[in-house]
Amino acid sequence: MNREGHGNFVGAVKPQSMHFDQPLSFRSGTMLREYDLAYETYGTLNADGSNAVLVCHALNASHHVAGWYENEPDNIGWWDNMIGPGKPLDTRHFFVIGVNNLGGCFGSTGPATLNPETGKPYGSSFPVVTVQDWVEAQTRLADRLGIKRFAAVMGGSLGAMQALQWTISHPERVANAVVVAAAPKLSAQNIAFNEVARQAITTDPDFHGGDFYEHGVVPKRGLRLARMIGHITYLSDDAMMEKFGRTLRSGSINYHFDVDFEVESYLRHQGDKFAEYFDANTYLLITRALDYFDPARDSGDNLTSAMAAATARFLVVSFTSDWRFSPERSREIVKALLDNRRHVSYAEVDAPHGHDAFLLEDPRYHALVRSFFEQVHARL
Amino acid sequence: MNREGHGNFVGAVKPQSMHFDQPLSFRSGTMLREYDLAYETYGTLNADGSNAVLVCHALNASHHVAGWYENEPDNIGWWDNMIGPGKPLDTRHFFVIGVNNLGGCFGSTGPATLNPETGKPYGSSFPVVTVQDWVEAQTRLADRLGIKRFAAVMGGSLGAMQALQWTISHPERVANAVVVAAAPKLSAQNIAFNEVARQAITTDPDFHGGDFYEHGVVPKRGLRLARMIGHITYLSDDAMMEKFGRTLRSGSINYHFDVDFEVESYLRHQGDKFAEYFDANTYLLITRALDYFDPARDSGDNLTSAMAAATARFLVVSFTSDWRFSPERSREIVKALLDNRRHVSYAEVDAPHGHDAFLLEDPRYHALVRSFFEQVHARL
């Protein structure tokens, strides 16, 4: 990608950090006395603070949503194709915020952070976080940035769940919500995949019950397996077949348990890379937040009742080949909104890439988001 | 199950073993100088040896296909609902053989067997086996039992792949083939799941490069994860939802990483059980045999050409909710047979249980197999 000579890139950005010393209580009953949130912003907040868009991240992403870092020009934000001047979420019109969730490992307070009370990393003592907790932490960031009401809250996958939760917990603070590749709760199979990933991490002898920091080791074997399992669920069977087929790395079968097929090489590489930079406790926390997300639970398992609080206008997008959160799951959300006579646009995009499609630059998908934000802008 | 007072059970059976001292060469270029095959038989071989049916096993099963052991009345064969007097594969008419594949861990020579040349377990030196190798070993067992031509070769999943291979490698020795829940080769996604399972085993510190026997340990953590991953792929999303839903074990969320959801408890239990009895090297070998199975590969990736050799009459059965080997994969086999103007009956059974459906007692599925074997019997 040639980043020079293009007008539609956010360009070089700087991550910021905000300290909060008002204690935050978690759904689990525990609390943090103080914490930091790492975040980035793109574009300019207008005078009445009405053009802010919060972009929530999914499992392994961060606050680095768009642009790149001056000293790391290849470290491009995970949704850079979506956000920038002239892009679907146009930073000439909107003030966009990315925030690393609590429990994360990219700058916000998380399990690897030193607990000021003990001087040691939180490790296993870090609170189990929920999507609701993240939203509460995000409201405080919004308060400090002077944002009373977001023009939109937006996310894909787990990020979309946060957008949904915003519309339920703080309907008065969300004018619009963009909910991409989501589900109103995990299925048993979704939980099962998360559980195997967690078991891979917690049974790694280097995990030490979550307090591996003090032992100077990292449960890389477990993290690597967790990432490999996750990766299979992000791609469609067809996309994998298209990308790798049964291609043999050396051209012939070698009758061993080392890499023979390209897909094996790819998975090992993805796993190795991930284990180098991701925190094992963060992986546990984030998959658990996914498992526990279930807004209908407090409304007698009735999603329509749960969504009754929401007043935002919605764009809901799913992808035909997504078998992790299939279109059927998005239609459950759409139905609950329609039951409540809410304003909702729904699109099922015919894309071959599986769950990962939400991160890719599909023209039809991007045109939908662009059109939605043009209307949001027109109503500002 | 009350086993007394029912006429249609095979009853108490005894596993047998046969020693072979003629060396067997493997596709990998290695060989075994001698080996044993564990097997069982049910029913009686007729005078001209024409009523024999070979039942091939899938990943974690064995030669113990039907009946139970006198000293282990709860150890019931894995396809006991299919095989017995009056059952779909009727042992009043057929002589049924189950055989544990080479490389297995239930009595046939495998990685845990002492290598007579070294006095130590084969471990990592055991040959990488292929479906073709298994079929060759099975032909020798057939020779010794006096069976020139099988009335049928039958199997589900990996067992069905062996039945397919029989019809290609030894068409003159197979009158009929029953191919249930199969695929003509694994997809990239199928290989990916196998690879993660193998990586879980081989990166377990207790694996010791496959020679863990000498260290007095077993890579249980890896085996456990492998089984958990496998189990998810055997069940449909719907079947998991039906069986477990999002049911909480204690009735409420406990905000921890121990078991909260029933599906977690189930997977851990399945993993723990499996790690107690299954051999880690066998798991590697069998998943690799699955990966490598690809009869079209030697025919320019043309399955029709590959199946041209087959002369058997086929029954091919798939299950609508099987996402491991979907009906589409069975239809590839059916198409290749029809291209060759072979006799094939194909049924797509509407069953909710996923890949595991092939082991379950579905009335429509069993009626199909029964009808097929009645015709096989009529033609004897």
Side-chain angles (χ1 to χ4, degrees), chain A residues 195 260 264 268 288 292, chain B residues 195 260 264 268 288 292:
Chain A
E195 167 68 1
D260 246 354
E264 298 174 315
R268 290 188 191 189
R288 217 34 163 169
Y292 288 155
Chain B
E195 168 67 359
D260 244 355
E264 298 175 316
R268 290 187 190 190
R288 217 35 163 165
Y292 287 156

Side-chain angles (χ1 to χ4, degrees), chain B residues 138-155:
Chain B
Q138 289 160 2
T139 63
R140 295 192 181 179
L141 178 68
D143 291 344
R144 293 269 291 272
L145 293 173
I147 299 155
K148 291 205 176 69
R149 177 175 161 93
F150 281 106
V153 180
M154 176 182 190

Side-chain angles (χ1 to χ4, degrees), chain A residues 186-188 195 198-199 203 221 224 237 241 246 255-256 258 260 264 268 288 291-292 297, chain B residues 186-188 195 198-199 203 221 224 237 241 246 248 255-256 258 260 264 268 288 291-292:
Chain A
L186 297 203
S187 70
E195 167 68 1
R198 280 192 298 266
Q199 286 288 302
T203 63
R221 284 177 296 245
R224 188 171 171 272
D237 193 3
M241 232 19 209
R246 295 177 48 87
Y255 301 103
H256 57 41
D258 209 336
D260 246 354
E264 298 174 315
R268 290 188 191 189
R288 217 34 163 169
D291 292 354
Y292 288 155
R297 196 177 146 75
Chain B
L186 296 204
S187 69
E195 168 67 359
R198 280 191 299 266
Q199 286 288 303
T203 63
R221 285 178 294 244
R224 186 170 172 274
D237 193 6
M241 233 20 214
R246 294 177 50 88
L248 293 162
Y255 300 102
H256 58 40
D258 210 337
D260 244 355
E264 298 175 316
R268 290 187 190 190
R288 217 35 163 165
D291 292 353
Y292 287 156

Side-chain angles (χ1 to χ4, degrees), chain B residues 37 62 252 332 361 380:
Chain B
L37 289 179
S62 73
S252 63
E332 295 172 31
E361 201 170 338
L380 279 186

Side-chain angles (χ1 to χ4, degrees), chain B residues 212-279:
Chain B
F212 50 87
Y213 315 98
E214 302 163 40
H215 294 80
V217 291
V218 167
K220 283 193 184 178
R221 285 178 294 244
L223 264 170
R224 186 170 172 274
L225 291 169
R227 179 59 163 175
M228 291 171 85
I229 294 164
H231 235 286
I232 300 176
T233 70
Y234 305 152
L235 299 177
S236 69
D237 193 6
D238 285 350
M240 270 200 164
M241 233 20 214
E242 175 82 15
K243 201 166 177 173
F244 310 108
R246 294 177 50 88
T247 308
L248 293 162
R249 212 161 174 227
S250 69
S252 63
I253 286 177
N254 287 307
Y255 300 102
H256 58 40
F257 303 116
D258 210 337
V259 166
D260 244 355
F261 297 95
E262 283 293 352
V263 66
E264 298 175 316
S265 166
Y266 172 80
L267 282 178
R268 290 187 190 190
H269 177 69
Q270 293 293 332
D272 288 340
K273 261 196 338 189
F274 190 70
E276 287 297 324
Y277 73 81
F278 208 80
D279 181 79

